[in-house]
């Protein structure tokens, strides 16, 4: 009897093993990638479009057989726009889900915090939305890559236009955390270097409800141009309130690339009329590559693409690097990225600079007309990227002090 | 003189406008606390629902003024149903039950709105634009309207509580509900109508502030903290205290921004609350026995 029981047990165990292993043999291998971004809060619009970009790239890659024979799966996480949850979710994505690529985060503060995690766990990390300057300088590590024009690139491309075409006296109003402070530092330095006069600077906390307490100081310094470095819901509120105080008509307005998404513009067209910014994408740019990308995006999601399109390119770059390295090993994939060019990004051919892993991006100056971001001039990527400054502060000795003329 | 006109006066006006609107929100909160002994954690979400109901009404009627009437009524009705269906069974239990319930309700309302309208920020256009020259500066007409409308509403609410029988009944229920019940008044109905009225008031504040602060699902969470500070500062359950404290907080927030980093203003507001509570543990007008 005992022998029969043992025999039966072994038979069941073998059958179970065959059953468990059978599907694994017939199914394709899978590689996971992480999409970390704001799903709620002040930047949730950017997080939403980042996810869409990643989805579109993965769908296209999977249709061609995936990457290195692996089907790509996305694991999306919400970073709540804050550094602490971003770190927690990044660790979860890397340690639990075993993602081979992490795209994110959205807020610069969160991305800076996540960089420590991707460095520690040697994970390829692409940033396509955050624009603080520290990521490719003081915080840089070998697994980090970016195709978001950071503060320095934006200042290099836009400050000259402001001084030459808009006015010499500029007031800088910024959101008071990593992103806004970085923009403030870079633009103040660039404007003063070009002969502009920064007549005042002020920072307002992230997610400020009422900006009117700052308006008195802006009016008193009487600028030609009001430069604003805000994003998301902050931008929408700020413009609404500036407009109600008549200040959008009183001053020429300029700002950073992620100030508002194209989707937000029609509802705030009047206050935004004439607003100038430097950007890498607009659905209203006649560039054939942008139009082709936008058409595919619109067909899939029923809405225009926007500057979060960088997340699409990030996945393409990573997949190309994995294929080149013939491995998912992070050191090999990182090396394969360096100097690599990809032809079919959302703006055509783009290349990664080896020294600081920044994509050299051709951009345009845009001006809002009737709720649409229309191109007014092209700025070559080589003119805006600036020299690689890994480990250094690009504006060393910077001071917020106003230089009286 | 330039400093007074260009900086100080606008700042004072900003503070008054915000304080008056905050007063509307805090008033409902303090009445509910006085009546039910429960801090209504869902009050911020009723404020948020007011703005979203406004978006729905404006979408259909294209009239802000219609929304100003219909949205508070709709949210008041939601408040009445919520009170009867969820809060009423908990009245005889410890206040902690009500606290947890309203906390849960807040999540339900917030996520419900997110499901219907999505998480994107929305705008409600003010019913009129333009600005008025005032004391040597220009001030948006809508903000002036907000100040006048909020002040008139606060005055109307004061008249309601002091001059009408219904108002006296609510005050009596706040003082001693059991005694009122003994006198033959339908106290559960007073509770339901008061809760509905407080919800409508929160909704009105949400809609009035929407053209300035914009509309998004989290908007209530951010305002409710300030409203709690106002209620504690004014004296738990004290209506007059809440109005005074709302104006004090509005002015303090606005004026302090002139002299310190705005991020530290939030800390300063808490510091003000701590100092007031040390000197007057029951707040400005708190009465004995409310917290004891």
């Amino acid at each position: 009897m005992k022998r029969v029981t043992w025999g039966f047990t072994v038979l069941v165990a073998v059958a179970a093993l065959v059953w468990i292993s059978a599907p694994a043999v017939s199914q394709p291998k899978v590689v996971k990638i992480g999409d970390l971004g704001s799903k709620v809060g002040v930047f949730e619009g950017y997080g939403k479009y980042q996810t869409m970009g990643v989805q579109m790239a993965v769908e296209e890659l999977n249709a061609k057989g995936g990457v290195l024979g692996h089907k790509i799966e996305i694991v999306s996480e919400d970073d709540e726009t804050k550094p602490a949850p971003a770190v927690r979710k990044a660790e979860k994505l890397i340690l639990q889900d075993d993602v081979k690529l992490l795209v994110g985060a959205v807020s610069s503060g969160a991305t800076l915090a996540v960089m420590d995690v991707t460095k520690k766990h040697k994970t390829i990390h692409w940033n396509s939305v955050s624009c603080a300057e520290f990521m490719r300088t003081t915080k840089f590590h070998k697994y980090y890559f970016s195709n978001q024009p950071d503060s320095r690139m934006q200042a290099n491309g836009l400050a000259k236009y402001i001084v030459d075409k808009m006015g010499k006296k500029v007031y800088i109003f910024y959101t008071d955390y990593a992103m806004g402070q970085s923009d403030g530092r870079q633009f103040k330095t660039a404007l003063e270097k070009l002969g502009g006069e920064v007549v005042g600077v002020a920072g307002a906390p992230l997610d400020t409800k009422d900006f009117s307490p700052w308006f008195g100081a802006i009016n008193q310094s009487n600028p030609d141009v009001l430069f604003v470095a805000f994003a998301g819901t902050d931008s929408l509120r700020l413009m609404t309130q500036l407009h109600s105080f008549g200040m959008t008509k009183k001053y020429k307005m300029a700002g950073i690339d992620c100030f508002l998404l194209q989707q937000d513009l029609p509802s705030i067209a009047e206050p935004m009329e004439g607003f100038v910014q430097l950007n890498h994408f607009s659905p209203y740019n006649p560039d054939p590559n942008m139009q082709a990308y936008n058409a595919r995006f619109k067909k899939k999601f029923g809405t225009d693409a926007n500057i979060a399109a960088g997340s699409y390119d990030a996945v393409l770059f990573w997949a190309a690097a994995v294929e080149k390295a013939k491995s998912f090993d992070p050191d090999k994939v990182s090396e394969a990225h360096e100097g690599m060019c990809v032809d079919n990004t959302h703006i055509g051919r783009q290349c990664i600079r080896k020294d600081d892993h920044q994509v050299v991006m051709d951009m345009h100056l845009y001006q809002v007309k009737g709720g649409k971001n229309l191109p007014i001039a092209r700025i070559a990527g080589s003119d805006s990227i600036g020299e690689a400054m890994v480990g250094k502060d690009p504006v060393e000795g910077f001071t917020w002090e106003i230089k009286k003329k | 003189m330039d400093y007074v006109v260009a900086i100080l006066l606008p700042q004072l006006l900003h503070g008054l406008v915000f304080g008056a609107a905050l007063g509307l929100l805090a008033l409902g909160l303090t009445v509910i606390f006085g009546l039910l002994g429960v801090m209504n954690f869902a009050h911020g979400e009723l404020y948020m629902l007011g703005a979203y109901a406004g978006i729905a009404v404006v979408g259909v009627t294209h009239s802000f003024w219609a929304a100003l009437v219909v949205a508070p009524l709709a949210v008041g009705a939601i408040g009445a149903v919520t009170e009867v269906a969820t809060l009423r069974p908990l009245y005889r239990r410890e206040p902690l039950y009500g606290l947890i319930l309203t906390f849960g309700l807040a999540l339900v309302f917030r996520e419900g709105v997110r499901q219907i309208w999505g998480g994107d920020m929305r705008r409600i256009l003010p019913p009129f634009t333009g600005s008025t020259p005032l004391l040597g500066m220009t001030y948006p007409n809508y903000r002036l309207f907000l100040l006048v409308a909020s002040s008139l509403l606060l005055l109307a609410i004061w008249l309601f509580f002091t001059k009408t029988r219904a108002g006296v009944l609510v005050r009596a229920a706040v003082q001693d509900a059991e005694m009122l019940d003994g006198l033959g008044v339908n106290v559960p109905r007073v509770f339901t109508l008061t809760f509905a009225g407080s919800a409508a008031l929160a909704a009105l504040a949400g809609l009035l502030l929407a053209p300035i602060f914009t509309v998004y699902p989290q908007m209530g969470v951010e305002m409710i903290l300030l409203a709690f500070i106002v209620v504690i500062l004014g004296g738990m359950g004290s209506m007059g205290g809440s109005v005074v404290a709302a104006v004090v907080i509005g002015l303090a927030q606005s004026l302090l921004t002139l002299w310190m980093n705005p991020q530290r203003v939030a800390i300063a507001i808490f510091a003000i609350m701590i100092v007031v509570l040390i000197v007057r543990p029951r707040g400005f007008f708190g009465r004995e026995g409310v917290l004891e």
Side-chain angles (χ1 to χ4, degrees):
Chain A
M1 186 64 196
K2 204 174 177 184
R3 194 176 294 164
V4 173
T5 313
W6 266 108
F8 181 71
T9 309
V10 169
L11 200 68
V12 169
V14 170
L17 273 173
V18 169
W19 183 72
I20 290 166
S21 58
V25 172
S26 63
Q27 278 187 3
K29 288 177 280 181
V30 165
V31 61
K32 289 182 183 170
I33 63 172
D35 154 48
L36 181 64
S38 313
K39 304 279 188 278
V40 295
V42 64
F43 293 153
E44 71 178 68
Y46 303 86
K48 197 167 83 182
Y49 285 98
Q50 173 182 292
T51 304
M52 289 156 126
V54 171
Q55 277 174 357
M56 199 162 105
V58 166
E59 210 163 274
E60 288 177 9
L61 286 166
N62 279 343
K64 292 179 199 159
V67 57
L68 222 58
H70 289 61
K71 183 175 168 281
I72 309 168
E73 268 182 26
I74 308 164
V75 186
S76 287
E77 286 292 349
D78 177 15
D79 67 9
E80 300 167 39
T81 323
K82 294 175 199 144
V87 164
R88 212 167 48 237
K89 298 292 174 60
E91 283 184 330
K92 180 253 173 194
L93 285 168
I94 294 169
L95 299 175
Q96 193 177 313
D97 300 314
D98 191 26
V99 299
K100 300 298 180 201
L101 160 71
L102 194 146
V103 180
V106 168
S107 148
S108 289
T111 305
L112 283 165
V114 168
M115 283 185 79
D116 291 333
V117 181
T118 49
K119 183 182 179 185
K120 183 176 158 197
H121 298 295
K122 296 184 175 180
T123 304
I124 301 295
H125 180 182
W126 268 89
N127 158 39
S128 300
V129 184
S130 305
C131 58
E133 70 202 357
F134 316 105
M135 271 93 87
R136 66 174 172 131
T137 55
T138 47
K139 287 285 280 189
F140 177 81
H141 64 70
K142 70 180 279 196
Y143 308 103
Y144 171 82
F145 296 86
S146 173
N147 59 351
Q148 162 63 30
D150 66 6
S151 313
R152 182 150 56 108
M153 291 166 77
Q154 294 190 43
N156 289 344
L158 178 56
K160 188 164 167 34
Y161 183 85
I162 293 176
V163 174
D164 288 351
K165 301 278 171 65
M166 298 176 78
K168 292 220 177 335
K169 287 162 73 183
V170 184
Y171 192 100
I172 297 176
F173 192 25
Y174 62 92
T175 177
D176 203 359
Y177 80 103
M179 182 263 275
Q181 289 164 3
S182 165
D183 291 325
R185 284 157 46 97
Q186 289 292 347
F187 272 89
K188 184 170 183 287
T189 308
L191 288 164
E192 286 175 344
K193 206 184 276 179
L194 290 164
E197 184 190 354
V198 175
V199 293
V201 287
L206 184 67
D207 220 2
T208 293
K209 297 292 158 292
D210 190 4
F211 291 96
S212 54
W214 284 269
F215 293 171
I218 296 173
N219 283 330
Q220 223 185 12
S221 58
N222 198 28
D224 302 319
V225 182
L226 178 55
F227 177 83
V228 282
F230 290 85
T233 52
D234 274 345
S235 305
L236 213 53
R237 266 194 299 270
L238 172 64
M239 289 310 288
T240 306
Q241 293 169 14
L242 280 171
H243 193 63
S244 74
F245 280 81
M247 292 165 74
T248 53
K249 290 204 172 96
K250 195 169 171 189
Y251 308 118
K252 288 182 179 143
M253 300 285 306
I256 55 170
D257 72 334
C258 53
F259 186 74
L260 276 174
L261 294 174
Q262 174 60 49
Q263 278 77 6
D264 297 321
L265 290 180
S267 71
I268 193 165
E270 203 192 329
M272 285 295 286
E273 188 69 18
F275 190 98
V276 175
Q277 60 185 174
L278 183 74
N279 223 326
H280 61 81
F281 178 84
S282 164
Y284 297 103
N285 192 319
D287 175 89
N289 290 307
M290 290 191 210
Q291 284 303 315
Y293 175 80
N294 195 52
R296 295 205 314 278
F297 191 92
K298 201 166 185 172
K299 192 178 168 197
K300 181 165 170 55
F301 297 109
T303 180
D304 280 326
N306 55 39
I307 56 159
S311 64
Y312 170 85
D313 299 352
V315 180
L316 294 195
F317 270 116
W318 167 79
V322 168
E323 293 286 359
K324 186 177 162 194
K326 296 187 173 52
S327 162
F328 289 109
D329 177 78
D331 290 299
K332 289 179 183 161
V333 176
S334 168
E335 275 165 37
H337 269 94
E338 292 178 344
M340 168 181 267
C341 297
V342 167
D343 290 327
N344 56 333
T345 76
H346 75 292
I347 51 173
R349 184 178 172 81
Q350 291 189 90
C351 303
I352 302 171
R353 182 161 75 174
K354 188 179 176 189
D355 315 72
D356 58 0
H357 294 184
Q358 174 69 43
V359 174
V360 187
M361 305 177 85
D362 289 341
M363 292 184 278
H364 287 81
L365 288 168
Y366 288 93
Q367 188 160 34
V368 178
K369 282 177 188 151
K372 293 174 182 169
N373 243 336
L374 301 176
I376 48 174
R378 187 170 174 278
I379 306 281
S382 53
D383 289 344
S384 66
I385 193 165
E387 60 175 311
M389 299 189 81
V390 171
K392 297 177 200 158
D393 181 353
V395 285
E396 210 173 346
F398 172 83
T399 163
W400 288 105
E401 201 181 316
I402 300 299
K403 293 170 188 160
K404 294 282 175 209
K405 278 200 175 175
Chain B
M1 191 57 201
D2 264 7
Y3 180 81
V4 173
V5 172
I7 311 262
L8 209 57
L9 279 177
Q11 218 70 0
L12 267 171
L13 213 49
H14 297 326
L16 275 178
V17 170
F18 184 63
L22 186 61
L24 284 180
L25 184 67
L27 203 60
L29 195 62
T30 204
V31 170
I32 295 299
F33 179 79
L35 200 65
L36 313 179
V38 169
M39 262 299 183
N40 181 12
F41 268 106
H43 201 67
E45 274 57 42
L46 295 168
Y47 161 88
M48 176 267 297
L49 280 178
Y52 275 98
I55 286 177
V57 177
V58 170
V60 176
T61 64
H62 302 288
S63 163
F64 183 82
W65 305 111
L68 220 44
V69 177
V70 178
L73 287 176
V75 177
I78 293 172
V81 173
T82 306
E83 195 274 341
V84 172
T86 63
L87 271 166
R88 190 176 285 185
L90 301 183
Y91 283 150
R92 292 189 181 280
R93 302 204 183 179
E94 286 175 51
L96 191 62
Y97 283 83
L99 205 72
I100 294 168
L101 172 77
T102 56
F103 190 77
L105 284 173
L107 291 175
V108 171
F109 288 144
R110 198 155 63 236
E111 293 312 313
V113 159
R114 201 184 287 279
Q115 289 298 319
I116 298 169
W117 281 281
D120 293 346
M121 192 171 83
R122 286 159 183 271
R123 286 177 80 219
I124 293 185
L125 292 175
F128 41 79
T129 51
S131 48
T132 303
L134 193 76
L135 301 166
M137 53 163 180
T138 53
Y139 209 77
N141 291 339
Y142 184 74
R143 289 195 185 227
L144 292 174
F145 161 75
L146 185 61
L147 178 61
V148 174
S150 305
S151 307
L152 285 177
L153 270 165
L154 290 173
L155 182 70
I157 293 163
W158 179 75
L159 287 173
F160 169 78
F161 279 122
T162 51
K163 304 288 178 195
T164 68
R165 183 178 147 73
V168 172
L169 279 181
V170 176
R171 280 167 55 216
V174 171
Q175 288 281 332
D176 193 336
E178 278 183 26
M179 176 65 84
L180 197 66
D181 196 33
L183 292 171
V185 173
N186 185 349
V187 172
R189 200 172 70 182
V190 174
F191 277 20
T192 307
L193 289 176
T194 309
F195 195 88
S198 141
L201 211 55
L204 198 59
L207 184 52
L208 281 170
L209 281 172
I212 297 175
F213 289 170
T214 61
V215 183
Y216 48 98
Q218 298 286 107
M219 63 189 275
V221 184
E222 290 149 7
M223 280 297 277
I224 199 67
L225 186 67
L226 269 183
F228 276 140
I229 294 176
V230 165
V231 170
I232 293 167
L233 210 56
M236 308 279 278
S238 162
M239 296 171 216
S242 277
V243 176
V244 172
V247 174
V248 167
I249 293 290
L251 286 176
Q253 182 161 295
S254 193
L255 290 177
L256 285 174
T257 313
L258 286 177
W259 303 297
M260 61 166 74
N261 182 333
Q263 277 167 310
R264 295 192 189 126
V265 171
I267 302 168
I269 300 267
F270 278 103
I272 292 172
M273 184 178 82
I274 291 167
V275 170
V276 171
L277 289 182
I278 290 170
V279 180
R280 294 183 64 89
R282 293 188 193 106
F284 292 150
F285 301 105
R287 60 191 164 80
E288 203 177 337
V290 172
L291 276 181
E292 287 85 352

